[in-house]
Amino acid sequence: MDMQLRKMDSDILQAFQEELTCLICVNYFIDPVTMGCGHSFCLPCLCVSWEKAESPAHCPLCRKPPQQTKLKTNILLKNLVSIARKASLRQFLSSEEHMCALHKETKQIFCEDDRSLLCLLCSSSQEHEAHRHCSTEEAAEESREKLSNQMISLWEKIQEIQRNLNKDGRISDQWMSYVYRHEHITRSAYHGLRDVLHEEEKQHLKSLEKEGSEMFKQLKKHQTEMVEKKISLRAMYEELMDMCHKTDAELLQELGDKLTRSEQVQLHMPQPLQPQLPARPITGLVDRLDRFRVEISFTNEITNHNIRLLDDVRSLSFRRDSLHASLDSGTSNYNAAWGAQVFTSGKHYWELHVDDSWDWAVGVCEESCLRKNGTLIGSQDTFLLLCLKEDNRYTLWTTAPMTRQFVEKPLDRVGVCLDADRGSLSFVDVAKCSLIWAYPHGVFNFPVRPFIYTGHS
């Protein structure tokens, strides 16, 4: 009968342990999370599984997609795992082979100074009495919490560096073609002035080529550094995952060094480069455009209740880097307006002040676009220069198609030059007398209105 009861107790204990076991690593849960389908896994195991999978995130057991990918710790499971671990630790410490060899007592005390397990008598000995002590169970619980926090921090750094790698990869792919396009629009800006400004044009193009080539090398070198950093972070993460599966006694004695190394490897994280071409003045550019100056009267003001232009662009640029990043456009305070004039022919130039705005967009739109609610960024009938503030940095974009502009943000006024006969548009940094961007001829053949969109004034 006693044997049957012991077997029953053993079976119940085994069943209890199985319920607290992750089906990926086949060990006690580490920071357990439960998916919408009801299956539970270690958060680190799930993160690694989803990172390796080529298909969208799903439950590793039933393959159902999760309702959300930001999962919260299952507190009940975490507490049950803690109870099971304490029971295992007590069983381990009470076994004869792990008792204090000198006093034949259970090692219930952990010495923080030399990271050793002691019995009560050893802890009060001359060798250890001046050291910091705590109960073995308490130390094990605290160590696992530190380990969990360190793994979360490491994983966030791994994901951060992957996002930066993606961002730098896209920039390096775009960079040289952007430089070549800038060389083309620079030649166009000097067209007809080569006799007077031949040397300036030659120097301008030479500088563009040199700066573009040097920045491309920097981008490639920086990518290599980030890849190496990610490898070292990932190797450290794997080490900490292995530590999670060690017994509490082993964890207490080995964790200190691992945590120190983990903190060190997270230092000096490489940040994404922000390449820019310097604004180079073109002699007489603004003076030539001033001959076509018109005064624009902006009317028909609308607000962010009707249109979400800048938030849509920002969300688009963030979504390329992160599955979860988004912005709440309802908190934005934007105003848009379009000009009373409709331009169908001729050459026209106007200037707009943008220095007091964080976010802004200037350019021209087909009139029908402005009668619709929603976004303008996907429209091929909208030609805008946009300035966005992202992570305390300003970036410039143009629409139709959405294109990143790697030039400095204008500090005062932006000049807009419309050639309705040729169907082209260009933007000028007035203060620096430099060309920001120029659309090729023939990009539109319909009447357009001037447009301005500002926020955070």
Side-chain angles (χ1 to χ4, degrees), residues 23-69:
L23 294 174
I24 297 178
C25 65
V26 200
N27 281 286
Y28 278 138
F29 286 122
I30 309 160
D31 200 3
V33 292
T34 302
M35 300 180 66
C37 59
H39 295 125
S40 300
F41 305 92
C42 303
L43 180 59
C45 291
L46 202 56
C47 287
V48 171
S49 171
W50 285 350
E51 185 190 50
K52 290 178 179 177
E54 295 181 1
S55 56
H58 57 261
C59 171
L61 192 60
C62 69
R63 316 298 290 180
K64 288 183 180 178
Q67 296 173 348
Q68 57 179 0
T69 51

Side-chain angles (χ1 to χ4, degrees), residues 162-177:
Q162 184 58 56
R163 287 193 297 272
N164 290 340
L165 268 169
N166 294 343
K167 186 179 292 186
D168 266 21
R170 282 194 306 277
I171 289 174
S172 64
D173 290 343
Q174 300 165 5
W175 177 252
M176 288 312 297
S177 62

